[in-house]
Amino acid sequence: MAGKEVAVLWLLAVLGYGSGGKVLVWPADNSHWLNMESILQELVVRGHEVTVLLPSCFLILNATQSSPFQFEVIEVPITKKEIATLLQEAFYFWFHEERAQPLWKGVYKMAQMLSKMEKVTKIICDEAPNNKALMKRLKASNFDVLLADPLAPSGELIAEKLGIPFVYTIRFSMGNTVERLCGTLPAPPSYVPAIISRLTDRMSFLERLKNIFAYAAQDFVYHYFLWASWDQYYTDVLGRPTTLCETMGKAEIWLIRTYWDFEFPRPFLPNFEFVGGLHCQPAKPLPKEMEEFVQSSGKHGIVVFSLGSMVYNLSDEKSNIIARALSQIPQKVLWRYKGKKPETLGSNTRIYDWIPQNDLLGHPLTKAFITHGGTNGIYEAIYHGIPMVGIPMFADQHDNIAHMRAKGAAVALDFSTLTTQDLADALKTVLNNSTYKENALRLSKVHHDQPVTPLDRAVFWVEFVMRHKGAKHLRPAAHHLTWYQYHSLDVLAFLFTCTAIAVFILVKCCVFCCRKCGKGIVKRKKE
Ligand SMILES: *[C@@H]1O[C@H](CO)[C@@H](O)[C@H](O)[C@H]1NC(C)=O
Ligand SMILES: *[C@@H]1O[C@H](CO)[C@@H](O)[C@H](O)[C@H]1NC(C)=O
Ligand SMILES: *[C@@H]1O[C@H](CO)[C@@H](O)[C@H](O)[C@H]1NC(C)=O
Ligand SMILES: *[C@@H]1O[C@H](CO)[C@@H](O)[C@H](O)[C@H]1NC(C)=O
């Protein structure tokens, strides 16, 4: 009897171990959530329990909507409206004012906005790792792993306080600063372009110079402006002297949302996994009305156009410039846009509040994609092999389009000086010149030809961390070194000193000998 019970318990334990872990999630808002959601959904499918810590001001998601995840809502004294306004303000600045102002004013405003955002982030943090009741409840739930996006600080704080390993999912931080300085990811500035530098991996001397400056400037900004006040915050919360960067560096695995179809080849570490495009899926059927419109394009096919979820409205002037250019092509155009309908809108163009972008890009009649260059959209285009016209606006978008251009799958335009002719020409080039389509298809083939899909790899590593309580065997010892040890500057200094001393002694000896000999000769001469 007792033996049987033990056997049953043992069986349950084994089954329990194999089937379900407990995953805690500290998400970032907007498009960052979409990528993470794909991983979480797959984790649920594989029998894990997923709990999302959801600040009540989160825009993209509500705890009330039905969802495969459990939510632990964190009540914060900020409303969704305030966050939306802040984002709108930031966006408006990037969009309309960045270029129109003198540099110092622009930098000042940017700093103001960053400090405003930081205040908001701190308010959110105050309600999580600093909330004793919440932390006690989470501790009691025995989570196996925490999944976080380093864009929203304090995920790592929660993991540290709970004593559980954490995994990051990240597209990039400015200048790869977080990955390089906290994750010790190597990035030789001679061929790894800094983010927001708009450079590619083939750089001239001047471009390499610019690249080094871009890295240095971004490191400086991070160290002295963005991180400085967080270091104290982290020290206070954890009760021991630490820094934001040191805490972030404890991530077991970094899931980077790019891959070699998009990224230039570069060195990486064993605890970095490149899982770009994990959210992409085969196209599903379109809504009936939309399908009819698409079919009405006949042999010319369609063009899909979206400037992303952040662009609510353009100026009348810009929207008319764009609409006029769109009206000049024989293709039908589906434009995602929430602003006022432009007067010059052609009969071939339809405006939608929202479009099923992935399904449209996967439609056999789709010929081109006009995009602001967000990574999610670019990956959908790569997945389905669609050439692009890029109109980048801010953040990493210029870089993303620069990558696609370098790989021959996109034409880039400048939004601030955009004319009808520019857009019409770019569209004609991408539509008529088959090299763009061929290159896009080549990227697509590379993307699909992987031994394991990006989503499976991402989920594997999360499960791996759960099974092994971390991935310490992948952690480089670089984390224990100071910056001068990392670059072997102390060894170089030592060798230099040794050489200098040896040369000094040699010279002294020579001089001494010469003098001796010289004196000897003089003496002999005198004799
Ligand atoms: C969240 O719920 C509010 C009202 O409860 C609704 O207005 C809003 O659209 C919802 N947001 C999302 C993303 O579903
Ligand atoms: C965009 O819309 C907002 C209100 O929704 C309005 O205040 C603003 O002037 C508009 N911007 C442009 C450029 O049309
Ligand atoms: C592109 O092809 C279309 C017809 O397929 C033609 O009307 C148009 O002139 C071509 N444009 C260029 C720039 O070659
Ligand atoms: C097509 O585009 C490629 C790349 O920009 C260019 O080298 C080629 O000359 C173009 N072909 C035609 C027919 O314009």
Side-chain angles (χ1 to χ4, degrees), residues 385-451:
I386 302 295
M388 289 162 258
V389 172
I391 313 180
M393 283 176 280
F394 55 83
D396 59 332
Q397 295 163 3
H398 291 279
D399 287 283
N400 298 344
I401 296 296
H403 281 222
M404 287 301 104
R405 209 173 85 144
K407 288 170 190 275
V411 171
L413 293 174
D414 184 347
F415 181 79
S416 58
T417 61
L418 187 71
T419 63
T420 297
Q421 197 58 41
D422 290 342
L423 182 55
D425 286 349
L427 276 170
K428 277 178 195 149
T429 307
V430 167
L431 291 166
N432 278 19
N433 185 336
S434 61
T435 51
Y436 292 92
K437 177 70 182 174
E438 283 156 18
N439 285 327
L441 280 176
R442 190 171 44 79
L443 293 182
S444 179
K445 278 191 191 133
V446 169
H447 180 83
H448 287 279
D449 202 351
Q450 305 183 44

Side-chain angles (χ1 to χ4, degrees), residues 270-423:
N271 59 342
F272 278 69
E273 195 66 27
F274 289 74
V275 292
L278 57 82
H279 67 291
C280 298
Q281 282 170 355
K284 291 189 285 293
L286 298 173
K288 192 160 167 289
E289 174 270 345
M290 202 176 266
E291 179 66 35
E292 277 165 13
F293 181 61
V294 171
Q295 289 301 341
S296 73
S297 66
K299 72 177 198 326
H300 291 299
I302 60 163
V303 169
V304 181
F305 179 17
S306 168
L307 293 179
S309 54
M310 295 278 279
V311 181
Y312 298 89
N313 53 1
L314 304 169
S315 65
D316 279 352
E317 191 200 346
K318 271 280 170 314
S319 61
N320 277 309
I321 285 175
I322 290 172
R324 208 174 296 126
L326 297 178
S327 71
Q328 291 176 13
I329 56 172
Q331 281 75 19
K332 294 270 158 82
V333 182
L334 292 93
W335 181 3
R336 178 197 177 167
Y337 183 50
K338 281 186 180 160
K340 199 175 115 216
K341 188 174 155 185
E343 291 118 37
T344 52
L345 196 72
S347 59
N348 68 334
T349 308
R350 269 198 202 165
I351 289 182
Y352 294 87
D353 258 9
W354 177 84
I355 53 174
Q357 188 168 287
N358 185 54
D359 304 334
L360 276 171
L361 290 174
H363 197 284
L365 281 174
T366 303
K367 303 291 180 207
F369 180 36
I370 311 174
T371 173
H372 63 303
T375 340
N376 286 351
I378 288 193
Y379 256 107
E380 284 161 5
I382 291 178
Y383 186 91
H384 297 294
I386 302 295
M388 289 162 258
V389 172
I391 313 180
M393 283 176 280
F394 55 83
D396 59 332
Q397 295 163 3
H398 291 279
D399 287 283
N400 298 344
I401 296 296
H403 281 222
M404 287 301 104
R405 209 173 85 144
K407 288 170 190 275
V411 171
L413 293 174
D414 184 347
F415 181 79
S416 58
T417 61
L418 187 71
T419 63
T420 297
Q421 197 58 41
D422 290 342
L423 182 55

